Amino acid sequence: MILTGMIVAALVAVYVLTALWQGYRLGVTFQQAVLYLPLKLVFRISDGRIRIARQADAPVIYAISHQSRLDPALMLALLPDDTLHILDEESATSSWLEPFRTLARTISFNASHVFVSRRLVRHLKGKGRLAVYFPQTVEPDPKSFRLFRAVARIAVTAGADIVAIHVGGSRHLPMSLAPEAEAPRRWLPKLTIAALEPISLDSSIVRPGRAPTTSSNALFDRVAEARVAASVPRSLFAAVSGAARLYGPERTVVEDGLTGPLSYRDMLIAARVLGARFASVSSGGEAVGLMLPNSVGLVTSFVGLQSAGCVATMINYTAGPANVTAAIRSGAVRIVVSSRAFVDKAQLADIVAAIEGAGARFLWLEDVRPSVTAFEKASAALLWRWPVTPVKPSAPGAILFTSGSDSRPKGVVLTHENLLSNTAQIEARIVFTPADTLLNVLPAFHSYGLTGGTILPLVYGVRLYLYPSPLHFKQIPETAAKVKPTITFATDTFLSAYARTADDGDFASLRLVVAGAEPLQAETRRIWRERFGADIVEGYGLTEASPVVALNTRTHSRQGSVGRLLPGIRSRIEPVDGIEDGGRLWISGPNVMRGYISTRGAENVTPPPDGWHDTGDVVAFDREGYLTIRGRARRFAKIAGEMVSLGAVELLVQRLWPEERHAAVAVPDRKRGEKVVVLTTNTAAEKSELRAFGKASGVAELIVPDTIITVDAIPLLGSGKVDYVTARRIAMESLGIDKTT
């Protein structure tokens, strides 16, 4: 008995001393530390940033994303004990939370407490602290969003700062507030508490580096930023491997029409086998080319390159031999992973010759498969959770080349952190769940197809169906009818083409259609809404931003805009001569590239100056922060000293002839410096009709082009964007203008 008593006393002493240490470390009371310590040990909580919240000067509102029933317990144990917590009715009465509720004042959440706000304003003006728990969904409905408006009004009236807090990982606890179909449960996930610096909503509305917005939107954005900040930095392989553990190794994650479905475990086993082979023929951190269509083979090869610690260099096999040669040389690529069957079917003999001529050799997947030994398979089956060569999140993960729609493609180096930050930013705006199936037709050599169409579903447990080419306008609707996807990403050009060949029921399963890479035409939006019952969400991005910068969502959407900036992205507008309504957009954020390849290889880059990237786009923000693209800075013509947006010209022509495709380019003109030429597929196009429509629309006379050229098809890049370099060449040849002009 004496020995037992001594052991118990020793354990109690250790517990008390540890609690005292935790109290000193975090600045909490002894009672708080005693109750917090078991949670700290069980969930291995990363809590270093909670000091930011505790040290915030009153008056302050803690804006907490309420993911699980555990969140109030953590906040009661960690926030200053003079904080008034507004709890939901279950948390306010739950018996297991009773010890935690003794740590601070609490009131039960209901409409009268939240929306009749004078009591809360008085509390804050008296140098008080308030903890408010916001809905866990990233797309709150209008009723739920009322809470953001109410709290924003209280904060502005009381002059209170906002500290946004998010408990990363609690969404997957057994006591999660999210439906289990959307958030698979784990008993002991590691939790990370993210707390952002205090900021007033008045300054948030016009704070440097952000677009102007309303106070409620500023509060909503701050909560979303905390969600992104809770993401733990990791490599691409670690993110996919972690998703396998979270969503289940046997869960089907990727599928195509030839290979069939593959589970996380099987995909990672195949990636481990390939990763070992890739590592044996390359050096650490080397850029290795990947030239494959959308397929299971592409995914296993990409993840295999990440396992090997290689930098996946995505080869745009539609860019032509000259551009591919330049890509191989600038990336210092010695090895290109590809498939003979694909090369033969796609008739890429000239691309193969260009790659070999640039000094690279091919590693054919057909040669790897039969040579895999039983030992390699067994080893991969045991070690599939771990990479062959671990890398840091800050290391280069992929090299992509810009579309080259109006200039020569540039090599963009994106780190693991860049790519995963962008997936987290997107996931903080749009709901993705394991119940979704994503149909991806966009090639992985395009950043939209790689991040949104490949990496994001792998990381968030979305079932991914890959289709090899976006140009199969008839087969893709038929595939959608069989696969029944809930999400798809595409460009306006492709969406318009699919609608022309699809039956009304082919896309009936879709709940989310995201359009990017080029402006979404009103006619495309109308057709998809009327025929398929699908509202298209338009976004904006660029390769250098991994790629998504702004996005419309169910909660925040404005037709004609590309939405609001994603969480964590800062912006500034620089004036452009001749343009009053808008300016040149610069951006900064965790998703902005490491830099352009400047000499040879992924380690030799030209980084953005001070982390700021010049997008080259002329844009405007409205008072609520919605972004409208006026056009590329290069996509303006200077006519008699006046700046004319070629994008605005295209929109005018598209409104007149919505069933056809058009492209506006600028060519030299002796009298006025430049003139605008429209290429159109409308064989009946008449200048007089366009002139009359422009006058009736009230646009400036300069906007209406006086030269129209009819073509069989508008030249496109492999990504679906208009190839303006080729379009301009066609216009100049048609008009007999010297190409050197």
Side-chain angles (χ1 to χ4, degrees):
M1 288 293 294
I2 295 176
L3 180 60
T4 301
M6 292 176 64
I7 293 173
V8 170
L11 290 175
V12 170
V14 170
Y15 189 90
V16 169
L17 289 173
T18 306
L20 287 169
W21 164 246
Q22 290 294 328
Y24 172 76
R25 184 178 67 87
L26 298 172
V28 301
T29 67
F30 177 69
Q31 186 181 1
Q32 285 179 306
V34 167
L35 290 174
Y36 172 64
L37 183 56
L39 303 179
K40 167 75 173 177
L41 297 174
V42 169
F43 297 109
R44 309 173 312 284
I45 300 173
S46 175
D47 54 19
R49 293 187 65 85
I50 199 65
R51 278 190 169 273
I52 294 172
R54 293 191 55 83
Q55 294 170 359
D57 293 330
V60 63
I61 297 176
Y62 300 111
I64 303 153
S65 181
H66 197 182
Q67 305 288 300
S68 77
R69 298 296 178 199
L70 184 67
D71 296 342
L74 288 172
M75 294 303 105
L76 285 162
L78 290 172
L79 293 178
D81 56 359
D82 61 348
T83 302
L84 174 62
H85 294 254
I86 302 180
L87 302 178
D88 62 279
E89 293 182 355
E90 182 172 339
S91 297
T93 57
S94 175
S95 58
W96 80 270
L97 269 177
E98 180 60 31
F100 292 91
R101 286 197 298 271
T102 64
L103 301 176
R105 292 172 57 204
T106 64
I107 58 175
S108 178
F109 173 93
N110 58 49
S112 62
H113 285 140
V114 174
F115 298 108
V116 180
S117 56
R118 282 176 291 184
R119 175 188 172 188
L120 301 180
V121 170
R122 286 196 302 270
H123 171 76
L124 289 168
K125 283 187 173 180
K127 296 297 181 182
R129 299 171 184 270
L130 188 66
V132 182
Y133 296 81
F134 288 89
Q136 57 87 23
T137 180
V138 300
E139 293 185 276
D141 57 33
K143 183 178 179 181
S144 299
F145 196 76
R146 288 163 55 197
L147 180 59
F148 288 93
R149 292 194 182 93
V151 174
R153 184 169 62 248
I154 292 168
V156 171
T157 304
D161 283 347
I162 297 293
V163 174
I165 301 175
H166 185 92
V167 183
S170 69
R171 175 180 171 82
H172 297 284
L173 287 167
M175 63 281 284
S176 171
L177 297 176
E180 189 167 359
E182 297 180 5
R185 303 319 197 224
R186 290 185 64 191
W187 279 103
L188 300 174
K190 187 178 186 300
L191 303 183
T192 300
I193 299 176
L196 302 186
E197 299 290 341
I199 188 168
S200 73
L201 289 185
D202 282 336
S203 62
S204 293
I205 294 171
V206 291
R207 62 178 161 142
R210 292 294 290 181
T213 189
T214 63
S215 58
S216 56
N217 284 345
L219 176 58
F220 178 74
D221 291 343
R222 199 63 173 164
V223 172
E225 287 174 21
R227 183 186 185 98
V228 174
S231 302
V232 179
R234 51 187 174 170
S235 70
L236 286 163
F237 183 89
V240 176
S241 177
R245 291 192 293 272
L246 178 61
Y247 298 106
E250 305 309 321
R251 173 176 173 75
T252 296
V253 65
V254 64
E255 182 178 359
D256 64 27
L258 291 176
T259 308
L262 216 61
S263 68
Y264 269 115
R265 185 196 302 274
D266 291 339
M267 183 269 290
L268 285 167
I269 288 174
R272 172 82 191 195
V273 170
L274 289 173
R277 290 299 182 94
F278 297 156
S280 68
V281 296
S282 65
S283 55
E286 181 178 351
V288 175
L290 185 57
M291 191 176 79
L292 289 168
N294 280 356
S295 61
V296 168
L298 168 78
V299 170
T300 55
S301 297
F302 179 81
V303 178
L305 288 172
Q306 304 307 322
S307 176
C310 299
V311 184
T313 304
M314 314 307 291
I315 305 300
N316 182 353
Y317 45 84
T318 70
N323 284 333
V324 170
T325 297
I328 294 296
R329 289 175 175 165
S330 64
V333 175
R334 296 186 306 112
I335 301 165
V336 175
V337 178
S338 190
S339 159
R340 287 194 183 94
F342 164 60
V343 166
D344 291 343
K345 188 171 183 178
Q347 299 180 345
L348 297 177
D350 58 337
I351 300 298
V352 171
I355 290 172
E356 292 177 335
R361 66 181 180 86
F362 279 89
L363 177 60
W364 302 106
L365 292 179
E366 289 90 343
D367 294 342
V368 173
R369 292 189 186 101
S371 65
V372 175
T373 65
F375 176 79
E376 286 178 299
K377 292 179 182 178
S379 175
L382 289 172
L383 302 174
W384 61 271
R385 293 181 178 86
W386 296 277
V388 175
T389 306
V391 296
K392 295 180 179 179
S394 59
I399 298 175
L400 293 106
F401 294 86
T402 58
S403 63
S405 57
D406 53 13
S407 64
R408 180 174 287 276
K410 298 176 183 177
V412 175
V413 179
L414 299 172
T415 66
H416 297 257
E417 191 172 7
N418 289 153
L419 292 161
L420 290 174
S421 291
N422 201 228
T423 64
Q425 290 168 321
I426 298 169
E427 195 267 343
R429 281 283 192 255
I430 294 180
V431 173
F432 296 93
T433 77
D436 285 314
T437 297
L438 191 153
L439 171 61
N440 180 32
V441 302
L442 297 175
F445 59 70
H446 186 262
S447 57
Y448 189 15
L450 179 63
T451 300
T454 307
I455 297 173
L456 186 148
L458 294 179
V459 171
Y460 290 104
V462 176
R463 184 167 181 160
L464 174 61
Y465 190 96
L466 291 162
Y467 191 85
S469 170
L471 300 176
H472 297 171
F473 299 146
K474 184 178 180 181
Q475 293 89 340
I476 286 172
E478 294 173 352
T479 300
K482 296 176 183 176
V483 175
K484 299 189 184 310
T486 57
I487 305 170
T488 194
F489 298 153
T491 67
D492 176 82
T493 298
F494 293 149
L495 291 171
S496 177
Y498 304 151
R500 286 196 293 270
T501 62
D503 293 332
D504 289 348
D506 286 349
F507 295 109
S509 60
L510 289 171
R511 71 167 183 86
L512 176 65
V513 181
V514 183
E518 61 178 344
L520 177 65
Q521 304 299 333
E523 181 68 6
T524 307
R525 188 192 298 273
R526 182 190 67 79
I527 290 173
W528 275 74
R529 182 184 295 123
E530 292 179 359
R531 288 196 56 202
F532 311 122
D535 282 321
I536 302 174
V537 171
E538 186 174 9
Y540 160 69
L542 52 151
T543 305
E544 295 88 344
S546 304
V548 185
V549 172
L551 197 60
N552 281 292
T553 68
R554 185 179 64 176
T555 302
H556 292 86
S557 182
R558 181 154 297 170
Q559 190 165 328
S561 81
V562 292
R564 300 167 65 249
L565 296 180
L566 294 184
I569 296 179
R570 297 182 295 158
S571 67
R572 73 171 190 253
I573 301 292
E574 294 193 350
V576 176
D577 290 341
I579 299 174
E580 295 182 3
D581 184 17
R584 196 172 182 121
L585 176 66
W586 290 67
I587 59 170
S588 176
N591 56 313
V592 173
M593 66 175 178
R594 182 170 184 167
Y596 291 119
I597 297 174
S598 58
T599 52
R600 295 180 66 84
E603 294 298 333
N604 298 303
V605 300
T606 302
D610 298 322
W612 285 91
H613 171 66
D614 176 10
T615 67
D617 289 316
V618 178
V619 308
F621 287 102
D622 69 12
R623 63 178 299 275
E624 294 186 54
Y626 287 93
L627 179 65
T628 301
I629 309 297
R630 302 296 189 212
R632 293 285 296 170
R634 290 183 182 145
R635 296 273 300 141
F636 278 79
K638 196 166 188 177
I639 302 175
E642 297 290 332
M643 300 297 287
V644 175
S645 168
L646 299 177
V649 174
E650 288 179 355
L651 287 174
L652 176 70
V653 180
Q654 194 71 44
R655 292 206 328 264
L656 175 59
W657 299 310
E659 300 295 331
E660 304 293 338
R661 308 303 293 178
H662 320 278
V665 296
V667 300
D669 182 78
R670 290 182 180 179
K671 292 183 179 180
R672 299 197 293 177
E674 287 184 309
K675 70 176 180 180
V676 177
V677 176
V678 168
L679 275 62
T680 178
T681 58
N682 182 10
T683 56
E686 293 288 345
K687 288 186 291 184
S688 57
E689 185 182 2
L690 180 57
R691 200 174 297 117
F693 182 75
K695 186 175 182 180
S697 301
V699 301
E701 188 176 340
L702 281 175
I703 295 289
V704 182
D706 58 6
T707 304
I708 298 176
I709 299 173
T710 301
V711 294
D712 293 332
I714 299 297
L716 300 178
L717 299 168
S719 62
K721 290 184 178 181
V722 173
D723 184 350
Y724 287 109
V725 174
T726 301
R728 186 172 187 268
R729 185 175 69 245
I730 292 171
M732 294 182 70
E733 290 175 352
S734 178
L735 298 174
I737 300 173
D738 187 349
K739 295 179 184 178
T740 61
T741 303

